[in-house]
Amino acid sequence: MSDILNQEIKYLAGVGPRRSEILSRELGISTYRDLLEFYPYKYVDRSRIYLTTELTQDMPYVQIKGKILSFEEFPMGARKKRIVAHFYDNHGVVDLVWFNGGKYIYEQYKVDKEYVVFGKPTVFGGRFQFNHPDIDDASKLELSQMGMQPYYTTTEKMKKSGLTSRTMERLTKTLLEKLTQPLPETLPPFITSRLHLISRDDAMRKIHYPKSADDTQRARLRLKFEELFYVQLNILRYASDQRRKYRGIVFQHVGATFNHFYHHNLPFTLTNAQKRVMHEIRNDMRSGRQMNRLLQGDVGSGKTLVALMSMLIAVDNGYQAAMMAPTEILAEQHYHTLRSFLNGMDVRVELLTGTVKGKRRKAILDGLISGEVNILVGTHAIIEDNVQFHSFGFAVIDEQHRFGVAQRARLWGKSNQPPHVLVMTATPIPRTLAMTIYGDLDVSVIDELPPGRKPIVTLHKYDNQTTSLYQGIRQQIALGRQIYIVFPLISESEKIDLANLEQGYEALKEVFPNYSMSKVHGRMKAKDKEAEMQRFVKGETQILVATTVIEVGVNVPNASVMVILDAQRFGLSQLHQLRGRVGRGADQSFCLLVTPHALAADTAKRIDIMCQTNDGFQIAEADLKLRGPGDLEGTQQSGMAFDLKIADIARDGQIVQMARDEAQAIIDDDPTCEKPEYRMLWDRLASLRKTNINWAAIS
């Protein structure tokens, strides 16, 4: 059976070489299997015939049965005409309308012959009409067999080649009729029977040709579960392999460096959440297995402090630590933060980025090899081949989704024995998504802010309210505060947006002639960008006009207002990240989201959510539901072909959990993947994997 499923799609009746090229290019359908796994996105009930007297304007797609009484033509300019067929069902007359295809229509449809017409009823000139309806010969159509008609996603290029949804339906039907043997099962009976899942063959046939809504529901549950189950089994299997194969460096004791910092340099009492996370990390470090932990925490929750304390434990045990950040601004921010935390202590911290050159760079590289450098902070410059450590034992990776897997692997390879890895993110990740993307990592969450922090007040302003907006900014500056004003330069190549930023900057200088301003965007040279940032950090400028380059890592406790212009152009998580640049001191802070009056429904919902909550996890859940999970494989985390075809991480949370539980039970029972009762699962998993590289072990 697998042989026939691997057959090229061009050999299926009705496809051929030209259509197969279009299917491959537009939808990635190259084989029979691809077509079978191209699922409908909706269904319409075809089991009922309506009378023309029952039609209403707000009806979805319906079908009627009757005869064509006559045809009529209406000219529509040069060489164009509208063709109208008057259709009668013994209760009333409706019009069937076509705007092209005259010759085909007259050849295909005959007066006084009985047809079933399917389409959306609309009203024109006081009469119901169906534009470009589906029409079938009533004598050849068994309505009792039709059930729910599937609808398939198509593109304009497909439609031009006659590959409409209806064509896709017919091609799929041709394929299913060709598959005379049942499709091989991909889940063992002990799973399908316990969870009451239908067979794979049954699911495939019912997903494309359901007789009822119950059929579609049962087929979708089976196929979604299978898809998510193998994703989870893949992740958990490699996490299990990692724990067995890779012994971690044992950090036996908490020593003098850590204790001196804790008792003399700690700037404030740790929150209970920070204490809990430190306890989890400490247990990992002395367990004998390599730590792979994801540290989630909202902006300002104190993740950097936890990372530093963890690195100091490594230093106390004779090892070096590294902290890798995705941008120079963020790396420099971490470097200065660590230096200030460690003020007066005998711990050597160095910064390595692409702009560190010459003697300075050589001194750092020499210090790493000799072991004199205890902590290295930097960008991807850290993973260059000439950067060698004396004894590398602990890696912190900030905002890891911005690094490719291969980059992280190179950092991991800087030590003979795998270092402990702490991955930090200020982008809260919904549980179901974390379970899928970061499923091989243990998860710690800092879910409380340091004492004294006031929630940021978020307000929605329209772009015709700038007078009151500017007045509010002046009041805040009069109180000694600083202001961020962000323009939506989403992509560094958008020249029009860059022009907007430049023009906006000039306009703001006229609005605020008495204040000093800085300007930062991604197309500036690194040293110029840093100089402008430093002016703002030192308080030499009151207003920083910027693009989203300030989204992560800029820490200016005196900044109390974040103004985001054209806020409708940002995603929820990005808005939340930008808002997190303020509220870092004890003063009340504000975030002002400025938009035009006319907003799409989803956009208005995003703005409302931002105004209602400061909780990053609530925002992330909402963002996932509004935007969907996007390209999960962007992380290349799993090494598995799981571009989800039917499951939806955002909406199928319960099925994700069910799949996770089943996969975990199997891994617990057969950690070495050797038991014969699970052979089907391991074989199936191997066939799904793209590569043999153990990506999960280098998270």
Side-chain angles (χ1 to χ4, degrees):
M1 177 62 77
S2 63
D3 288 346
I4 191 170
L5 292 180
N6 291 329
Q7 184 78 269
E8 287 182 51
I9 196 70
K10 67 182 176 185
Y11 297 116
L12 184 68
V15 180
R18 189 171 142 274
R19 279 184 165 183
S20 72
E21 275 182 39
I22 294 167
L23 285 170
S24 176
R25 192 170 58 243
E26 296 294 298
L27 299 175
I29 295 175
S30 302
T31 65
Y32 287 1
R33 178 180 282 102
D34 294 336
L35 180 62
L36 207 55
E37 293 179 356
F38 183 64
Y39 303 117
Y41 70 91
K42 72 171 184 179
Y43 303 87
V44 174
D45 189 353
R46 294 288 309 261
S47 60
R48 180 178 168 189
I49 294 284
Y50 284 81
L51 304 178
T52 50
T53 50
E54 294 178 296
L55 299 180
T56 62
Q57 288 191 66
D58 57 354
M59 276 182 164
Y61 287 77
V62 297
Q63 59 191 355
I64 55 176
K65 185 179 179 182
K67 295 179 179 180
I68 294 174
L69 297 174
S70 62
F71 286 97
E72 201 173 349
E73 291 184 4
F74 299 88
M76 292 177 60
R79 297 185 183 178
K80 287 194 174 181
K81 58 190 173 187
R82 177 166 57 100
I83 299 171
V84 177
H86 305 300
F87 189 83
Y88 180 61
D89 74 341
N90 294 326
H91 293 83
V93 177
V94 298
D95 289 337
L96 314 181
V97 181
W98 297 269
F99 295 96
N100 49 45
K103 187 181 176 189
Y104 171 83
I105 288 155
Y106 290 127
E107 286 174 356
Q108 198 75 9
Y109 309 123
K110 305 300 179 190
V111 171
D112 231 24
K113 185 178 167 86
E114 194 169 44
Y115 295 105
V116 172
V117 170
F118 177 74
K120 180 166 175 49
T122 56
V123 174
F124 180 75
R127 185 186 280 185
F128 278 104
Q129 67 176 29
F130 290 78
N131 292 330
H132 290 266
D134 284 343
I135 301 179
D136 291 286
D137 184 337
S139 64
K140 295 179 182 174
L141 200 64
E142 281 191 65
L143 290 174
S144 60
Q145 297 298 309
M146 287 206 63
M148 313 287 285
Q149 180 171 344
Y151 273 73
Y152 297 85
T153 302
T154 54
T155 66
E156 283 308 310
K157 286 182 181 173
M158 287 172 65
K159 287 172 189 167
K160 283 177 184 172
S161 299
L163 286 166
T164 62
S165 172
R166 195 72 189 275
T167 313
M168 296 300 291
E169 178 195 344
R170 287 171 181 146
L171 291 175
T172 307
K173 187 175 186 182
T174 301
L175 175 57
L176 287 169
E177 286 168 352
K178 199 178 181 75
L179 302 175
T180 51
Q181 298 296 313
L183 290 163
E185 188 49 79
T186 50
L187 291 173
F190 67 82
I191 290 181
T192 53
S193 59
R194 184 170 64 248
L195 299 178
H196 307 290
L197 299 173
I198 62 176
S199 72
R200 180 174 173 80
D201 184 75
D202 210 8
M204 276 300 185
R205 294 180 193 277
K206 282 179 174 170
I207 197 79
H208 292 292
Y209 281 94
K211 298 289 189 297
S212 65
D214 182 59
D215 275 359
T216 66
Q217 203 171 343
R218 296 187 71 194
R220 289 173 76 82
L221 174 61
R222 156 66 207 232
L223 294 169
K224 285 180 177 188
F225 173 83
E226 178 183 328
E227 201 167 57
L228 292 167
F229 170 76
Y230 278 107
V231 169
Q232 294 299 334
L233 189 65
N234 181 63
I235 292 165
L236 292 172
R237 174 184 170 177
Y238 278 91
S240 170
D241 281 356
Q242 179 188 5
R243 292 191 177 102
R244 283 185 299 104
K245 292 177 185 173
Y246 301 106
R247 302 302 300 160
I249 303 162
V250 178
F251 292 162
Q252 293 281 14
H253 64 283
V254 174
T257 311
F258 180 95
N259 283 316
H260 183 280
F261 174 80
Y262 191 83
H263 294 294
H264 302 288
N265 284 48
L266 197 63
F268 46 75
T269 306
L270 296 179
T271 63
N272 289 329
Q274 285 173 311
K275 289 176 183 173
R276 183 186 69 244
V277 170
M278 277 307 305
H279 184 67
E280 290 165 353
I281 292 170
R282 180 73 191 106
N283 284 342
D284 284 349
M285 287 173 159
R286 60 185 170 205
S287 68
R289 67 180 180 86
Q290 184 213 7
M291 179 176 85
N292 265 303
R293 186 165 288 278
L294 172 67
L295 176 55
Q296 290 194 71
D298 230 330
V299 175
S301 59
K303 296 183 299 299
T304 308
L305 182 59
V306 166
L308 172 59
M309 292 168 70
S310 305
M311 289 191 285
L312 291 179
I313 293 173
V315 171
D316 272 336
N317 284 271
Y319 285 87
Q320 294 161 293
M323 188 175 202
M324 192 158 82
T327 65
E328 288 207 9
I329 286 181
L330 187 49
E332 287 164 5
Q333 182 81 50
H334 282 319
Y335 171 69
H336 293 303
T337 301
L338 298 190
R339 288 286 299 269
S340 65
F341 276 148
L342 295 167
N343 186 34
M345 291 182 62
D346 185 22
V347 178
R348 184 175 167 188
V349 183
E350 293 289 358
L351 174 69
L352 189 66
T353 66
T355 55
V356 177
K357 308 279 188 192
K359 289 181 181 176
R360 180 88 189 117
R361 188 180 191 85
K362 186 177 186 307
I364 293 170
L365 297 181
D366 290 346
L368 284 170
I369 290 173
S370 68
E372 293 168 62
V373 173
N374 305 112
I375 297 172
L376 181 66
V377 181
T379 56
H380 56 271
I382 291 178
I383 60 177
E384 290 173 7
D385 291 339
N386 62 347
V387 179
Q388 300 295 327
F389 291 81
H390 178 262
S391 54
F392 183 36
F394 196 89
V396 179
I397 303 173
D398 197 14
E399 298 298 340
Q400 99 143 11
H401 60 281
R402 297 182 176 219
F403 291 105
V405 168
Q407 287 176 305
R408 298 196 297 270
R410 286 171 67 188
L411 178 63
W412 201 65
K414 296 282 180 189
S415 172
N416 293 329
Q417 195 171 357
H420 294 294
V421 177
L422 182 67
V423 170
M424 300 198 304
T425 180
T427 307
I429 303 160
R431 197 175 53 84
T432 52
L433 196 56
M435 220 185 279
T436 306
I437 293 185
Y438 297 115
D440 56 305
L441 302 179
D442 298 311
V443 179
S444 291
V445 179
I446 302 180
D447 50 10
E448 60 182 309
L449 292 175
R453 293 276 176 92
K454 294 177 182 173
I456 301 162
V457 175
T458 304
L459 303 169
H460 180 199
K461 296 281 184 186
Y462 292 111
D463 51 15
N464 62 353
Q465 296 176 305
T466 50
T467 306
S468 63
L469 178 69
Y470 294 155
Q471 191 52 41
I473 288 173
R474 289 187 188 96
Q475 288 171 358
Q476 286 292 307
I477 294 175
L479 293 170
R481 316 274 187 265
Q482 289 168 280
I483 318 292
Y484 293 103
I485 299 179
V486 175
F487 281 80
L489 182 58
I490 309 296
S491 159
E492 299 303 355
S493 64
E494 288 185 39
K495 291 178 183 171
I496 189 163
D497 281 340
L498 189 59
N500 287 347
L501 176 108
E502 300 287 3
Q503 290 163 9
Y505 177 71
E506 294 303 322
L508 287 167
K509 282 206 299 192
E510 290 181 22
V511 173
F512 302 112
N514 302 322
Y515 305 135
S516 297
M517 294 168 65
S518 297
K519 176 177 64 176
V520 176
H521 58 78
R523 299 180 97 178
M524 294 168 69
K525 289 180 179 173
K527 67 175 194 304
D528 296 337
K529 195 160 45 179
E530 177 58 20
E532 286 289 284
M533 281 300 313
Q534 285 306 318
R535 288 177 64 214
F536 188 68
V537 170
K538 291 172 184 171
E540 293 169 11
T541 57
Q542 288 81 46
I543 299 173
L544 175 62
V545 178
T547 62
T548 53
V549 293
I550 61 153
E551 182 185 338
V552 288
V554 184
N555 184 19
V556 184
N558 193 46
S560 65
V561 179
M562 168 63 70
V563 180
I564 304 173
L565 302 175
D566 283 328
Q568 77 280 0
R569 296 184 60 184
F570 298 88
L572 264 175
S573 292
Q574 203 171 29
L575 289 172
H576 182 61
Q577 285 286 311
L578 287 167
R579 175 168 63 183
R581 297 305 103 216
V582 296
R584 294 174 159 253
D587 303 311
Q588 180 62 63
S589 289
F590 301 88
C591 177
L592 304 170
L593 306 175
V594 183
T595 72
H597 270 277
L599 292 176
D602 272 5
T603 309
K605 203 179 287 184
R606 280 207 307 272
I607 302 295
D608 287 345
I609 290 163
M610 285 296 297
C611 294
Q612 288 161 13
T613 181
N614 280 286
D615 185 322
F617 287 95
Q618 276 186 36
I619 286 166
E621 289 283 357
D623 203 20
L624 187 62
K625 286 193 171 73
L626 283 171
R627 297 200 300 170
D631 176 18
L632 289 186
E633 250 195 315
T635 55
Q636 290 293 312
Q637 188 88 357
S638 71
M640 180 174 173
F642 76 93
D643 47 335
L644 300 177
K645 293 182 172 71
I646 191 166
D648 182 331
I649 299 290
R651 294 171 181 83
D652 295 326
Q654 281 184 304
I655 306 176
V656 173
Q657 188 63 60
M658 187 164 75
R660 177 83 169 188
D661 292 344
E662 289 295 325
Q664 188 65 64
I666 287 159
I667 292 293
D668 290 345
D669 190 44
D670 187 19
T672 56
C673 311
E674 291 171 344
K675 291 193 175 180
E677 59 264 42
Y678 301 123
R679 177 48 44 205
M680 170 203 273
L681 299 177
W682 306 131
D683 288 348
R684 172 75 176 160
L685 197 59
S687 74
L688 288 172
R689 290 189 62 81
K690 287 178 179 175
T691 168
N692 294 319
I693 298 172
N694 182 356
W695 290 127
I698 55 175
S699 295

